[in-house]
Amino acid sequence: MKKNRERFCNREREFVYEFKVGSQCLELRVPLRFPVQENASHLHGRLMQLHNLPCFIEKDLKEALTQFIEEESLRDYDRDAEASLEAVKSGEVDLHQLASTWAKAYAETTLEHARPEEPSWDEDFADVYHDLIHSPASETLLNLEHNYFVSISELIGERDVELKKLRERQGIEMEKVMQELGKSLTDQDVNSLAAQHFESQQDLENKWSNELKQSTAIQKQEYQEWVIKLHQDLKNPNNSSLSEEIKVQPSQFRESVEAIGRIYEEQRKLEESFTIHLGAQLKTMHNLRLLRADMLDFCKHKRNHRSGVKLHRLQTALSLYSTSLCGLVLLVDNRINSYSGIKRDFATVCQECTDFHFPRIEEQLEVVQQVVLYARTQRRSKLKESLDSGNQNGGSDDKTKNAERNYLNVLPGEFYITRHSNLSEIHVAFHLCVDDHVKSGNITARDPAIMGLRNILKVCCTHDITTISIPLLLVHDMSEEMTIPWCLRRAELVFKCVKGFMMEMASWDGGISRTVQFLVPQSISEEMFYQLSNMLPQIFRVSSTLTLTSKH
């Protein structure tokens, strides 16, 4: 039947319209290719403008054109139906296969035949966890998570020690070989030893990687089973042992509070907070924070004091399945992996603690790679179609080569998202692709990195992310070319652009109060930090305090 359908598609028919202008009889002939993809009203408007037709025939021409398209389309459908019936009668099409195809299509598109959606294990576990984390059992959950974190951290420590010993031993072997180079050994011997060393390192890393993967999988299964069991036990009020199971000793609790307070005093960097109001008529209050800190400080767990409740994790856990999520923007290169730079550091932090709710960071990146591959394939096919039809200009060859060269990579300004429940203070990481151009001093508000920030803020509005941390200078580390004037210009540009994007938020989400944290690298000077702090209230409208005095 597809052959018959193709036979009637892409047929060209001529639309003929006769009209009189004074004593003259004129005729309009327009070739149309069926099926007509364009809207009849749009086609009618183009004909009127292209042929300078008189306005008094406009209504009649539109009716005639619409009638012609409907009649010819109906004839095509009739021919197609007749051809299909003939194919069935002649035995060209299997009648039973056709009937089963129709029955399947009808069942899939009709609501009364649709199967009720069964809740998945992830959804059930999410509901159970949300109930428990808002119950007295929350302290027990966080203690258990911390114990798992300590176990994985010790395993990672053992891995690092073993890898360090292997590298030291290999370094000594290589020094001995280099001393004998040109005497009893040749370059080939050195290369062979280097290959053996590399292979040994790979084998050891793979061994530890598999062990970590197996340990996290066991922890995740144990944790989820324990959470389900605890939730079921909580429903049984006669369970006397349950209160002892979830009880936390007060002295232990206080020790943890004081310890975390000391840790935060030691590690928290320079910080300034502002409250602003944005909007023309309906103003929305937002919180802004300027911090001198490392981006990964919001992800790392504190290793001190393994026992007790970890309060810095409590708020993150409470809001995991809520409408108040926390996000972070990481500036990465165009390769979707975790092999170098801040991507490797971030992946290392993610691996230190088992994620009990979402897939591992490596699995999420593999999914992103598949999605990017599919998207690039679709774009590539569309680009080829447009080139074949001759709609591209002279620079299309360069665009094609560039698209093929970056076939599996993301482009500057594009970003991908990973979800996490095992990080200290964030739930969502936006991996924003930037190139070396962000280090120059001449980027504008239309730069891909700036537009990427706009799209990230839009995602925050549509997916309940109310706190977002942004690198203010669009870099994670300072370099020599980043002078004081460079920093001031870059900060002013980002401040102004983010302000505009936040004003757009009112139309995106109806005006929800949000917290935006601007982070600058730790290597920036204290003087530079306070210059940026003084710039922020000049760009944003900071709320001023009102002092009321009574008259005597």
Side-chain angles (χ1 to χ4, degrees), residues 318-378:
L318 288 173
S319 57
L320 179 59
Y321 295 104
S322 71
T323 56
S324 301
L325 301 176
C326 299
L328 179 78
V329 178
L330 291 176
L331 305 175
V332 299
D333 56 32
N334 62 349
R335 294 181 295 275
I336 306 172
N337 55 42
S338 56
Y339 299 147
S340 62
I342 195 169
K343 297 187 298 183
R344 180 183 58 194
D345 299 336
F346 178 73
T348 301
V349 173
C350 293
Q351 292 168 356
E352 287 181 349
C353 187
T354 304
D355 197 318
F356 302 108
H357 301 264
F358 304 114
R360 296 182 304 113
I361 180 68
E362 296 85 0
E363 296 176 3
Q364 295 192 49
L365 292 180
E366 289 177 2
V367 174
V368 172
Q369 289 175 347
Q370 296 299 321
V371 173
V372 170
L373 177 62
Y374 176 77
R376 291 285 182 265
T377 304
Q378 297 298 315

Side-chain angles (χ1 to χ4, degrees), residues 6-116:
E6 292 173 358
R7 189 188 311 160
F8 297 113
C9 289
N10 298 323
R11 276 192 172 185
E12 191 174 280
R13 286 123 193 210
E14 192 174 45
F15 169 64
V16 180
Y17 178 73
E18 296 179 352
F19 62 97
K20 288 186 178 181
V21 178
S23 58
Q24 293 183 343
C25 291
L26 302 178
E27 190 177 74
L28 174 67
R29 291 180 175 271
V30 180
L32 296 177
R33 187 172 294 278
F34 282 80
V36 178
Q37 302 293 338
E38 190 174 3
N39 184 278
S41 298
H42 295 170
L43 181 59
H44 163 258
R46 290 175 54 193
L47 292 177
M48 291 290 298
Q49 185 176 9
L50 183 63
H51 297 282
N52 295 322
L53 299 177
C55 61
F56 60 83
I57 69 165
E58 181 176 356
K59 184 177 179 181
D60 187 56
L61 174 61
K62 185 176 181 179
E63 294 176 354
L65 179 62
T66 304
Q67 183 180 357
F68 175 77
I69 293 176
E70 290 179 353
E71 291 177 353
E72 292 298 323
S73 299
L74 187 59
R75 289 194 183 96
D76 282 346
Y77 294 147
D78 291 341
R79 295 192 192 101
D80 190 10
E82 291 291 339
S84 300
L85 290 174
E86 288 296 329
V88 173
K89 292 178 182 179
S90 62
E92 184 179 347
V93 176
D94 186 2
L95 186 59
H96 297 288
Q97 182 181 359
L98 181 62
S100 61
T101 303
W102 270 97
K104 181 181 177 181
Y106 182 78
E108 290 177 351
T109 56
T110 307
L111 183 60
E112 61 179 327
H113 293 284
R115 295 181 179 178

Side-chain angles (χ1 to χ4, degrees), residues 489-538:
R489 287 196 306 270
R490 177 61 56 83
E492 181 181 8
L493 173 65
V494 175
F495 277 147
K496 289 182 176 179
C497 290
V498 171
K499 178 184 178 181
F501 301 153
M502 292 177 69
M503 295 181 70
E504 283 187 85
M505 287 184 189
S507 61
W508 294 339
D509 59 12
I512 296 177
S513 180
R514 299 184 183 277
T515 299
V516 179
Q517 301 185 138
F518 297 101
L519 272 67
V520 295
Q522 289 181 318
S523 57
I524 204 168
S525 66
E526 188 171 339
E527 178 186 359
M528 183 73 252
F529 177 84
Y530 286 113
Q531 289 188 45
L532 299 176
S533 175
N534 294 330
M535 178 191 295
L536 192 148
Q538 297 175 4

Side-chain angles (χ1 to χ4, degrees), residues 239-290:
N239 194 338
S240 59
S241 63
L242 185 62
S243 60
E244 295 295 328
E245 182 182 355
I246 65 175
K247 186 166 66 176
V248 178
Q249 297 179 1
S251 60
Q252 187 180 18
F253 184 86
R254 285 197 297 270
E255 176 191 5
S256 187
V257 173
E258 295 172 359
I260 294 173
R262 290 195 299 269
I263 294 170
Y264 264 56
E265 287 295 324
E266 293 171 359
Q267 296 192 0
R268 185 62 71 186
K269 305 302 179 182
L270 290 175
E271 177 181 333
E272 291 283 347
S273 299
F274 306 87
T275 300
I276 64 168
H277 288 87
L278 292 178
Q281 295 179 344
L282 181 62
K283 298 186 182 299
T284 305
M285 185 181 73
H286 301 279
N287 298 315
L288 302 182
R289 297 175 68 198
L290 179 65

Side-chain angles (χ1 to χ4, degrees), residues 295 327-332 342 415 426 428-433 449 452-453 456-457 460 468-471 474 476 519:
M295 271 289 182
L328 179 78
V329 178
L330 291 176
L331 305 175
V332 299
I342 195 169
F415 62 90
I426 71 163
V428 179
F430 296 93
H431 304 256
L432 176 61
C433 176
L453 285 180
I456 287 174
L457 289 176
C460 291
I468 182 71
S469 301
I470 299 173
L474 299 182
H476 291 308
L519 272 67

